[in-house]
Amino acid sequence: MEWKNFDLLASYKKLQGLPVPDVKVLLAGKEGGERVKKLQAPMSNGFVYSYAAKQVDEDVLDSLQELADEAALTEKFAALYSGEVINTGEKRLVLHHLCRSQLGDAVIADGTDKRAFYVEQQKRIAAFANKVHEGQIVNEKGEKYTTVVQIGIGGSDLGPRALYIALENWARANGTLKMEAKFISNVDPDDASAVLASTDLAHAIFIVVSKSGTTLETLTNEAFVKNALKEAGLDPSRHMAAVTSETSPLAGNPEYLDSFYMDDYIGGRYSATSAVGGAVLSLAFGPEVFAQILDGAAAEDALAKNPDIRQNAALLDALIGVWERNFLGYGLTAILPYSQALARFPAHLQQADMESNGKSVNRFGEPVAYKTGPVIFGEPGTNGQHSFYQLLHQGTDVIPLQFVGFEKSQMGNDVDIQGTTSQQKLSANVAAQIVAFACGKDDENPNKYFAGGRPSSIIAGDQLTPASLGALLAHFENKIMFQGFVWNVNSFDQEGVQLGKVLAKKVLAGDTDGALAAYSDLLGIF
Amino acid sequence: MEWKNFDLLASYKKLQGLPVPDVKVLLAGKEGGERVKKLQAPMSNGFVYSYAAKQVDEDVLDSLQELADEAALTEKFAALYSGEVINTGEKRLVLHHLCRSQLGDAVIADGTDKRAFYVEQQKRIAAFANKVHEGQIVNEKGEKYTTVVQIGIGGSDLGPRALYIALENWARANGTLKMEAKFISNVDPDDASAVLASTDLAHAIFIVVSKSGTTLETLTNEAFVKNALKEAGLDPSRHMAAVTSETSPLAGNPEYLDSFYMDDYIGGRYSATSAVGGAVLSLAFGPEVFAQILDGAAAEDALAKNPDIRQNAALLDALIGVWERNFLGYGLTAILPYSQALARFPAHLQQADMESNGKSVNRFGEPVAYKTGPVIFGEPGTNGQHSFYQLLHQGTDVIPLQFVGFEKSQMGNDVDIQGTTSQQKLSANVAAQIVAFACGKDDENPNKYFAGGRPSSIIAGDQLTPASLGALLAHFENKIMFQGFVWNVNSFDQEGVQLGKVLAKKVLAGDTDGALAAYSDLLGIF
């Protein structure tokens, strides 16, 4: 497998020379409607990826296809899921796809079939969750647990939390909400205090999630919770479980009800479909629902193997993002789901994307001369429309937009006001926004003038369910992976988070001088 | 008052020619410590604004002072609070400061003393809230209300919601949480459904907040709620109140327990300290707590009158932001509060800033030739550290950072792990991050190399209380206002949100063709 810097590729030079299509023109009139019908890439689980409002034409798409071929992007994906050392910095395999499916041949590492290992953990978690739900694993008084609280941070928090919020109401409406889930992440003592104050401790299971078993925030919050349990006269070992690596100090510890395992081949931000998401989501919704998430992700992963970019939504989405980042000069992408259930999905993608591709060196440690990962931010529509959309429409920078929309609501509870339902109003707004951004509007009053030409895509689906949520997650994970391949960065390490940790330890040890000491004083730490 | 485009000012040309100070050098060694102690601007309520880690030196600061003087920024602020028509597009005064204090002479508009009008509404709200708390206003069965639910979107949602979340735990710890507050905003039917499903309707007051009384999302959600109340056998008029303008269809309507008023001179995103925030926050925490928020904001507003930029934190923060935006070329600002209570404060500032200054025309409707408002995003630390900080440290773009930190937690509940409390760990992390971003770290391994030179400021305080929260809010509101003055834009209209509304109405009326029709089909609206 050849790994070359992006700007050394022939397709890079070709893309540099291409004219930028005017989406305002392309989306106008009857031809605009035809374009919307045509520029769609298939996805699984009822989704389509629509890119008609992107600044692409057949020339750009052909050149992006050449880029995909020249950089061997789907071959690199195959190498990844076949167990090559893709995380070169930490010399690790990258195997989160195996939680969902065996995409290629069996991957044997450390003497183990890794797919079998992940499936075994899923089965152990499922058995544990079922016993909790059926009252075979109970508290000190023999009573059922009603609440599960995840203690984790970063990848052990954002992904599972986003997925829980995405399905909580669906589960309520479908009678599969087995336990309420809560999350403690921040080392801010008010975070744990607030969650504990609103939790029925006697009927709660706390899941401590840390791959290394050494994450400062998580161990601190675990101690916080253990104190609270003891103060409430409860036995922490009847209220805590762990998700960690087999070699961590948390593994197999008798202070837990049980321990479930992940390994070094699944990065935190890609761990939502591993035991990290599996434990809390299986307890909250039942193992069957978690299995549906995995099936949805697996279906989407399978589509990502296709070398034809027009048939591979994740790859196409990635390449259009590269076009925008490196040739059109856009520095951000806004994620705008028209679904309140996806309220925290942008925050998860913010981590997944920015921690993966926010790098300035290539996979060999050499500085790159082009832009890499963009900033990701977003809020659900229609809320965002009444907030930051003003800048998106009329600000001095163009910001590419990634919409997500659904035909049906999750709870099916709706009202008809002025002849339409709320769900229709919601969908009408996303359709309107795409056209407003792309086509703009002339006006004599320059305050009311919209330049248009502001590009967006939409992932349009039927309903947000466990399976479609899994597919949506996999789409973005794979998009980020493909972009990392193009930029030739290691998307699976995060060395940029280390320096802050080192300096924080120095502060806590009182080992400071100069600016660090002065800031410690300013914040009144001691 | 002279309003000139920024690039026509002498100080603009002067700033263009200035060398950019190297913050990595400036913060190093013993001198770095001295710089931190010196580069602080006073604020109220226990805060200081520390800008030692910004790319400024005395030359830059002197030139920014010249800019402030040349553009008459504090004079423009005085014109604003004295009742000049600052919102030129809509020909309106801009009076949100009067909710907090009479900063200059009395402002008479529409035959009314406006400060007296806002105070009267505060008194009416306080009386209403006290009666609700004391059981003089009760439900059909003569029982006390326990929950307040705000129905609003945009400025009627984000600010009040952010403030409620910021003080919920403080109020719990201080025994002043009178009623739990919830919020319905999105037209997504799942938003209202979920809130209603978890609310004890018989003991809930819903506050409908819409200045015009015509906001589609809010009226739809009001109808949603009324349906639910009726289905529960309840009388909606015993469970609903309104916050609106005196001329709106909601005003004085007998279908509400009461109506409270705002006016056209307070924009939605600046309405948190008006009746829009006042009703829900007074019901939730008691009118005394809301009054403390106002007092905190008033104290900070008073400091914003000072023409000396080194003594005016909001003005200085604004000018450094302009330096970064227009001369250093940075397109974003990240808001990073080290306080879980401020979880939604960045989302509120995202609206306040991006909707105010995300404009491409000046206040006379002429296109400007320079960048205006940046993109604002952020999440609380330490969570962000385990998420997008990788890109902030090692990504290919520099993103200015705005930290907020406190010496004390809100709830006072803490644990000592490895010799330090969680609060100390939290503060140590923010001190460490500032230095890590500014000073970087050399390393032979380029993966572990940190270039440094990444600028940040911190607003450091004692504790997040109602008064300090009010001060923090006012600081940012005033910062945004001053930046709008520099860029010569109208920060108080939002014409960019109109086109989407118009097109959404066309979709709902079935009046579509071309791309709009095709997107409507794609989303399965009909």
Side-chain angles (χ1 to χ4, degrees), chain A residues 37-295:
Chain A
K37 285 175 201 160
K38 191 179 162 212
L39 267 59
Q40 299 182 359
M43 293 178 67
S44 69
N45 289 286
F47 285 121
V48 294
Y49 172 68
S50 160
Y51 56 102
K54 286 290 192 184
Q55 294 161 295
V56 298
D57 56 15
E58 292 305 313
D59 283 349
V60 173
L61 291 169
D62 289 344
S63 300
L64 293 175
Q65 180 71 60
E66 287 174 39
L67 166 58
D69 297 340
E70 185 183 9
L73 298 180
T74 50
E75 289 87 340
K76 282 173 179 152
F77 178 35
L80 182 146
Y81 65 67
S82 300
E84 223 173 85
V85 176
I86 297 293
N87 179 347
T88 43
E90 300 172 320
K91 300 197 173 44
R92 290 178 183 169
L93 321 189
V94 176
L95 298 182
H96 53 274
H97 297 89
L98 293 197
C99 294
R100 284 103 75 145
S101 176
Q102 188 75 55
L103 286 177
D105 294 335
V107 176
I108 313 295
D110 314 331
T112 308
D113 178 321
K114 296 312 297 184
R115 165 81 181 146
F117 170 72
Y118 301 134
V119 170
E120 185 201 344
Q121 298 309 313
Q122 287 163 12
K123 287 187 179 161
R124 291 184 57 230
I125 287 169
F128 178 80
N130 285 333
K131 283 183 188 166
V132 168
H133 298 154
E134 290 162 11
Q136 294 167 34
I137 296 175
V138 288
N139 75 359
E140 298 91 331
K141 292 192 177 172
E143 298 161 338
K144 277 192 183 186
Y145 300 101
T146 57
T147 306
V148 51
V149 184
Q150 178 106 328
I151 307 173
I153 194 163
S156 303
D157 171 61
L158 288 166
R161 192 195 292 247
L163 299 190
Y164 175 75
I165 293 170
L167 293 179
E168 186 181 9
N169 291 323
W170 177 90
R172 227 183 277 277
N174 288 276
T176 69
L177 187 64
K178 311 278 188 182
M179 299 169 77
E180 189 188 4
K182 300 181 177 198
F183 296 84
I184 298 173
S185 53
N186 202 329
V187 76
D188 181 346
D190 288 337
D191 188 17
S193 294
V195 173
L196 291 173
S198 69
T199 299
D200 171 11
L201 297 181
H203 301 94
I205 293 180
F206 294 85
I207 309 180
V208 183
V209 186
S210 169
K211 184 153 65 179
S212 65
T214 64
T215 312
L216 175 75
E217 285 89 343
T218 300
L219 294 189
T220 301
N221 279 323
E222 182 190 15
F224 211 110
V225 167
K226 277 190 177 171
N227 272 6
L229 289 167
K230 283 178 200 158
E231 279 174 22
L234 299 165
D235 173 3
S237 72
R238 299 295 296 261
H239 291 274
M240 306 198 85
V243 177
T244 188
S245 65
E246 288 179 292
T247 54
S248 104
L250 310 184
N253 191 318
E255 290 183 27
Y256 300 115
L257 286 165
D258 210 338
S259 308
F260 306 103
Y261 303 118
M262 51 181 160
D263 63 24
D264 277 345
Y265 306 144
I266 298 182
R269 57 193 173 274
Y270 295 98
S271 67
T273 52
S274 77
V276 172
V280 62
L281 297 173
S282 297
L283 284 165
F285 302 134
E288 302 75 17
V289 170
F290 184 64
Q292 290 165 25
I293 297 174
L294 299 183
D295 289 347

Side-chain angles (χ1 to χ4, degrees), chain A residues 385-401:
Chain A
Q385 291 177 203
H386 291 259
S387 168
F388 53 86
Y389 277 37
Q390 163 67 41
L391 184 146
L392 302 184
H393 279 289
Q394 293 187 320
T396 47
D397 288 329
V398 171
I399 294 161
L401 314 172

